[in-house]
Amino acid sequence: MLASGTGTILQSLITAGLDIAIVVADRQCPATVVAASAGLPSATVTRSSFGADFDRVAYSKLVLKALAHHGVDLVAIAGFGTVLDASFFDSFPGAVLNTHPSLLPSFKGWHAVEDALAAGVKVTGCTVHVATAEVDAGPILAQEAVPVLPGDVVETLHERIKNVERRLYPETIARFARGELP
Ligand code: GRF
């Protein structure tokens, strides 16, 4: 599992009883604390830079190295703040999943919830998909709609979406692992 955030999606995977081999974060974040509390191994692969000189290829190799020897056969991403190089996806062909807080292909990117609010949509949602080198693209496995309510701000809307992700993501990962999804 790759995460950079508060780790509530990670917690939902743990609660669902999924067999998590290792949690990798790209920064100090609550997700690693969630991993430790569950007794899961974790690694923080810190970025050398957030600037134009960031070496994405070298960084992606370090993430692969962190996963090595943990028996990983499926990678689940939830809010990992670093875009990985194509070589990473080549190492796990068709076996990297991601959850995204919008109904893809609408509102790709890191500010999906903010962008949905700014667009004034009345319905948004979440998407679980096979992740590819192209960000927030790749075959869609599951989607669920979530209403935007009057007075919503990013935090309230994102929390409503995450409530669905915490059910849909573990459920979809389990179905995918059982070969029930394409
Ligand atoms: C989720 O909404 C996920 O879709 C997004 O980042 C969020 C992670 O939530 N990309 P948390 O940090 O696990 O609470």
Side-chain angles (χ1 to χ4, degrees):
M1 169 107 194
L2 309 184
S4 305
T6 59
T8 68
I9 307 287
L10 165 63
Q11 183 59 60
S12 75
L13 268 55
I14 295 168
T15 305
L18 294 178
D19 183 11
I20 303 170
I22 178 164
V23 176
V24 173
D26 67 350
R27 64 197 74 189
Q28 290 302 325
C29 61
T32 52
V33 179
V34 171
S37 312
L40 295 174
S42 73
T44 303
V45 184
T46 309
R47 285 176 63 145
S48 52
S49 153
F50 281 85
D53 59 341
F54 175 58
D55 187 342
R56 202 169 300 284
V57 176
Y59 182 86
S60 301
K61 282 204 179 93
L62 290 177
V63 174
L64 275 176
K65 204 171 157 194
L67 297 179
H69 313 302
H70 284 276
V72 174
D73 45 28
L74 185 66
V75 178
I77 302 177
F80 190 67
T82 300
V83 174
L84 296 169
D85 174 67
S87 58
F88 180 86
F89 297 91
D90 292 343
S91 302
F92 293 98
V96 183
L97 304 190
N98 181 44
T99 178
H100 182 76
S102 78
L103 292 174
L104 291 173
S106 293
F107 309 119
K108 295 181 177 186
W110 195 245
H111 302 291
V113 180
E114 204 174 325
D115 293 348
L117 272 179
V121 295
K122 302 298 177 211
V123 174
T124 182
C126 55
T127 303
V128 178
H129 65 102
V130 179
T132 57
E134 192 187 335
V135 176
D136 297 332
I140 291 173
L141 300 174
Q143 283 187 311
E144 206 165 301
V146 172
V148 180
L149 300 180
D152 261 342
V153 292
V154 172
E155 291 72 23
T156 53
L157 179 56
H158 198 177
E159 187 51 29
R160 192 174 309 118
I161 295 169
K162 289 209 285 186
N163 257 323
V164 177
E165 291 185 279
R166 291 179 199 120
R167 172 176 47 74
L168 191 66
Y169 200 28
E171 203 175 278
T172 307
I173 292 170
R175 291 182 64 202
F176 186 83
R178 287 197 299 266
E180 292 171 11
L181 296 171

